[in-house]
């Protein structure tokens, strides 16, 4: 992509408060703005009402109305086929393989900051702007763009943005990164935006009720069969309703009476078994991750002390990261961590700065 030269921006408008206020902030800075919403699926194709989720027709209508209020050009881009193949398809494959996917990260990687950047370039617009809570800064000493946590720690979204490349960071702006959510709400109210009181979306957009097994069965036409619950010795202790329906660390909904609380400790998808055990069996110090993307450094040449987290809402924990092959790392935490799950992202921090991140591909048995 060519270097940004003029003050022009493509605003990714979700129909929510944050992206709407982001558009207004860019206008206040003198940018020529155009708005767009990505149509990622059609609600009827995944069995949802028109109003039951983010990225719905209602959200498109809200985004269109805000664009009208702000007097900026607006259009809808249809990426339904790409979303079906790259996001929903991968979501199902990872669950069927026994992992736990993170479709929001994949959507950022393949949709928001790939397709939209291409579209912006085609239109001659210099930046893509979103309502994410994170900050981008250029570091002249290293010559690299840095991704940093948001000022509002409670809304920080740097974890789901770790995959951004240097070229992408050079052409993205997050105008809300230096603000608190309450400020965004206040601005929306002062502007009388149609979505000023709209609730934030919390769930996976195409599975808003959280019942991903129901979604997968409906979407694929498959039925995931029952199988055996096993204890840690391999003895059958009950029947489960399909291994895809259980996640590492789960306690509720197991339907097992074993005298003491038990948790999902592992799954064998080929054998369709789910292993349960005591909570202490969930803790590990070591993980391996692949598909690493480095932001604050060009590459990892040796062991490095970082803070890391393996879930969006987790507090970072001290760890040592070491190279373990091409685009692969070994991470060892100082303290054992609970329910580290294959398929999730591990993101590394140095203070407020994102060092890099990748996808967890292996969690070996306890060490130490």
């Amino acid at each position: 992509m060519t270097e940004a030269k003029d003050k022009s921006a493509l605003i990714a408008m979700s129909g929510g408060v944050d992206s709407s206020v982001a558009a207004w902030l860019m206008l206040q800075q003198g940018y020529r703005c155009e708005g767009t919403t990505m149509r990622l699926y059609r609600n009827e194709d995944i069995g949802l009402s028109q109003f039951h989720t983010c990225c719905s027709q209602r959200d498109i209508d809200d985004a269109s109305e805000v664009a009208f209020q702000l007097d900026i050009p607006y259009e809808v881009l249809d990426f339904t086929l790409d979303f079906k193949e790259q996001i929903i398809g991968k979501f199902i494959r990872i669950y069927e393989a026994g992992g736990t996917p993170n479709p929001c990260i994949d959507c950022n990687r393949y949709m928001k900051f790939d397709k939209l950047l291409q579209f912006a370039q085609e239109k001659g617009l210099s930046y893509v702007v979103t309502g994410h809570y994170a900050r981008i800064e250029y570091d002249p000493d290293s010559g690299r763009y840095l991704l940093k946590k948001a000022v509002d720690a409670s809304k920080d979204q740097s974890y789901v943005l770790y995959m951004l490349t240097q070229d992408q960071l050079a052409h993205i702006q997050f105008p809300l990164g230096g603000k608190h959510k309450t400020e965004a709400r206040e601005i929306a109210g002062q502007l009388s935006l149609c979505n000023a009181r709209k609730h934030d979306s919390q769930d996976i957009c195409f599975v808003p009720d959280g019942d991903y097994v129901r979604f997968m069965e409906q979407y694929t036409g498959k039925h995931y069969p029952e199988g055996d619950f096993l204890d840690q010795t391999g003895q059958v202790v009950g029947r489960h309703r399909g291994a895809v329906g259980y996640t590492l660390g789960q306690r509720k909904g197991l339907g097992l009476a074993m005298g003491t609380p038990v948790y999902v400790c592992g799954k064998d998808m080929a054998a369709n078994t789910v292993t349960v055990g005591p909570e202490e069996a969930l803790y590990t110090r070591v993980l391996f991750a692949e598909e690493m993307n480095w932001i604050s450094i060009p590459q990892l040449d040796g062991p490095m002390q970082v803070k890391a987290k393996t879930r969006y809402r987790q507090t970072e924990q001290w760890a040592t990261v070491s190279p373990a092959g091409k685009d692969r790392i070994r991470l060892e935490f100082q303290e054992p961590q609970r329910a580290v799950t294959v398929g999730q992202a591990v993101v590394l921090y140095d203070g407020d700065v994102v060092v890099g991140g990748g996808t967890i591909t292996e969690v070996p048995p306890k060490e130490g």
Side-chain angles (χ1 to χ4, degrees):
M1 182 174 280
T2 57
E3 284 301 309
K5 294 186 181 299
D6 70 324
K7 297 185 74 170
S8 60
L10 180 68
I11 315 296
M13 302 182 73
S14 67
V17 171
D18 295 330
S19 58
S20 301
V21 172
W24 182 80
L25 290 170
M26 296 302 289
L27 288 169
Q28 294 302 109
Q29 294 177 48
Y31 280 79
R32 174 174 63 87
C33 297
E34 297 186 24
T36 189
T37 302
M38 297 184 296
R39 186 188 294 280
L40 300 177
Y41 54 82
R42 297 184 185 277
N43 291 48
E44 58 271 22
D45 293 340
I46 59 173
L48 296 174
S49 74
Q50 291 295 306
F51 305 104
H52 192 167
T53 175
C54 74
C55 308
S56 68
Q57 183 59 50
R58 178 179 177 178
D59 293 308
I60 291 174
D61 293 342
D62 287 346
S64 176
E65 185 170 342
V66 169
F68 179 78
Q69 288 181 270
L70 297 178
D71 193 24
I72 62 174
Y74 173 81
E75 61 187 301
V76 178
L77 300 178
D78 193 321
F79 291 139
T80 51
L81 183 60
D82 298 282
F83 191 78
K84 179 178 180 179
E85 293 176 350
Q86 294 183 296
I87 310 303
I88 297 179
K90 183 177 179 181
F91 174 86
I92 292 171
R93 288 194 302 273
I94 292 176
Y95 263 125
E96 290 182 341
T100 301
N102 202 321
C104 297
I105 289 177
D106 287 330
C107 187
N108 284 336
R109 174 185 283 135
Y110 300 117
M111 300 288 130
K112 290 187 179 74
F113 302 113
D114 183 6
K115 301 291 185 186
L116 282 190
L117 276 170
Q118 292 177 26
F119 181 72
Q121 184 179 33
E122 290 168 2
K123 298 207 72 170
L125 300 171
S126 298
Y127 294 97
V128 165
V129 174
T130 74
H132 283 98
Y133 285 84
R135 293 176 290 160
I136 298 171
E137 294 180 6
Y138 181 73
D139 178 21
D141 294 333
S142 65
R144 298 183 69 82
Y145 286 90
L146 304 179
L147 176 64
K148 303 180 74 173
K149 293 179 188 176
V151 168
D152 187 343
S154 69
K155 297 298 294 183
D156 174 57
Q157 293 173 295
S158 59
Y159 175 84
V160 298
L161 298 167
Y162 79 84
M163 82 302 298
L164 293 175
T165 66
Q166 287 294 299
D167 186 55
Q168 289 171 335
L169 289 166
H171 296 87
I172 293 169
Q173 291 200 41
F174 300 136
L176 295 183
K179 297 187 179 299
H180 285 74
K181 177 71 179 196
T182 52
E183 295 178 77
R185 288 279 185 198
E186 288 171 5
I187 292 171
Q190 291 165 3
L191 296 173
S192 299
L193 297 181
C194 64
N195 54 11
R197 297 179 179 273
K198 190 173 183 178
H199 292 299
D200 294 340
S201 58
Q202 301 289 339
D203 302 303
I204 295 170
C205 63
F206 54 91
V207 195
D209 63 359
D211 189 350
Y212 64 88
V213 177
R214 179 206 59 80
F215 165 78
M216 289 165 59
E217 291 190 332
Q218 177 178 309
Y219 191 82
T220 64
K222 296 179 181 178
H223 173 67
Y224 298 103
E226 295 183 354
D228 290 328
F229 277 121
L230 307 178
D231 66 16
Q232 290 185 290
T233 68
Q235 296 297 306
V236 176
V237 294
R239 296 284 288 175
H240 65 68
R241 298 184 302 276
V244 294
Y246 300 86
T247 56
L248 199 65
Q250 179 178 339
R251 176 185 174 186
K252 294 182 178 179
L254 303 184
L256 297 173
M258 299 182 65
T260 58
V262 292
Y263 302 78
V264 174
C265 298
K267 299 194 292 185
D268 184 331
M269 302 306 290
N272 193 27
T273 59
V274 176
T275 299
V276 298
E279 186 172 20
E280 54 264 30
L282 294 171
Y283 285 83
T284 185
R285 297 168 68 101
V286 175
L287 65 81
F288 289 87
E290 299 180 9
E291 299 178 331
M292 296 300 298
N293 180 59
W294 302 105
I295 296 180
S296 67
I297 58 175
Q299 62 183 26
L300 184 69
D301 295 320
M304 180 180 182
Q305 288 290 113
V306 294
K307 280 194 167 183
K309 64 179 182 177
T310 60
R311 279 181 170 76
Y312 180 46
R313 295 297 181 189
Q314 182 186 16
T315 302
E316 310 98 74
Q317 305 293 319
W318 282 108
T320 300
V321 59
S322 306
K326 180 175 173 55
D327 292 328
R328 187 170 189 260
I329 57 106
R330 178 184 186 275
L331 187 79
E332 182 168 356
F333 288 97
Q334 284 189 3
E335 301 293 334
Q337 301 299 305
R338 187 184 188 278
V340 177
T341 306
V342 169
Q344 291 287 289
V346 58
V347 179
L348 317 178
Y349 291 85
D350 178 7
D352 284 345
V353 175
V354 176
V355 177
T359 303
I360 300 169
T361 55
E362 183 185 352
V363 183
K366 287 183 182 181
E367 294 187 15

